[in-house]
Amino acid sequence: MPVKTRVVVVDDSALVRGLLTEIIDRQPDMICVGAASDPLVAREMIRNLNPDVITLDVEMPHMDGIEFLSRLMRLRPMPVVMVSTLTERGADVTLKALELGAVDFVAKPRIGVSDGLRQLGADITEKIRTAARARVHRLAAPAAAAAPPASLGRLSTEKIIFIGASTGGTEATREVLVGLPADAPAVMITQHMPPGFTKSYAARLNGLCRISVAEAQDGERVLPGHAYLAPGGRHLSVERSGANYIARVQDGEPVNRHMPSVEVLFASAARVVGRNALGVMLTGMGADGAVAMRTMRDAGSWNIAQDEASCVVFGMPREAIAHGAAHEVLPLAQIGQRLMDWLRVNAGAATSRV
């Protein structure tokens, strides 16, 4: 008989604890072994029950979820799925949790919690399954500030960097972007994220990076020194308007079960940008974007996939590699620098041929 994933639910709401326990216990491959009303109770449960995954409420009495998560990831790292609220504060706290090492998050509805959580049952259990397979690392001490990257000058003018990411991708994308100089090429990013969270995520990145970062706006010009993030629940692509590239933000059907979808962004890169594109596939579950990244390569782009050892989940990069889409497979810490090195060697010659 297969071993079930053992889950501890931590939430101050008895209703939410009961609902999550019910959702988990209905699955044939997982079991809720404990439900705690606050982190102090949870600490003992974790010690005694040794769960595989924790679901953790963001805001609780006695010790908030962030403080508890910070201690947990320093002393006993393990997969955590945050359960957050669809508010601006909830989004900010959730992003902090992902920074501290939480694998993923579920946004619980503000009203109709009972029905809402039941409707989210498939999403919740899929994220628990992903978390159970994720690589979790002990929370490291803050790194010393790196030296500012060298300017690229006009090498960035015609190029666009395209990034696709999912589970674990918020921090992976941050690590790539903070290493880029202020005059880096334009960056277009699809990170699987629900509505209500991408605005806070873009604002956080904007405060950390030398380039400007914002949610993409439909029809805006795509410029060097700027990064454009797909808004949650909408697809992002690139189009040409005369001599300029513009961002296209649109509603539509999910692609590969996702909206925004990496496939949509990367397919537009292949169709519109061709050999002036650089593709980056970061950590994430599933195969979204793998086929389109191969199409990018066939159209002349230069592509990098994150390596297995540095991924939280080696799903999307593995599929991109399997499709022959990646020119190089690199640890996350090397990707930003490799993009800049490639541009210094290749951008001038490539641009002159356009």
Side-chain angles (χ1 to χ4, degrees), residues 78-102:
M78 63 188 310
V80 176
V81 176
M82 301 301 293
V83 179
S84 71
T85 51
L86 273 171
T87 63
E88 187 172 342
R89 169 167 163 73
D92 291 340
V93 174
T94 300
L95 291 168
K96 179 64 176 177
L98 295 173
E99 180 184 343
L100 291 171

Side-chain angles (χ1 to χ4, degrees), residues 67 76 79 90 101 108 207 220 252 284 289 295 328:
E67 184 181 352
R76 195 188 188 283
K108 62 184 174 185
E220 71 178 317
T295 308
E328 294 189 29

Side-chain angles (χ1 to χ4, degrees), residues 175-176 304-307 310 328-342:
E175 182 155 344
V176 173
I304 297 173
Q306 186 178 348
D307 75 350
S310 65
E328 294 189 29
V329 180
L330 295 174
L332 175 61
Q334 296 179 19
I335 291 175
Q337 185 60 54
R338 179 60 181 128
L339 289 169
M340 297 303 98
D341 291 345
W342 188 92

Side-chain angles (χ1 to χ4, degrees), residues 248-261:
R248 184 60 70 207
V249 177
Q250 295 173 303
D251 296 322
E253 294 300 315
V255 175
N256 297 331
R257 299 189 303 117
H258 295 288
M259 189 164 66
S261 165

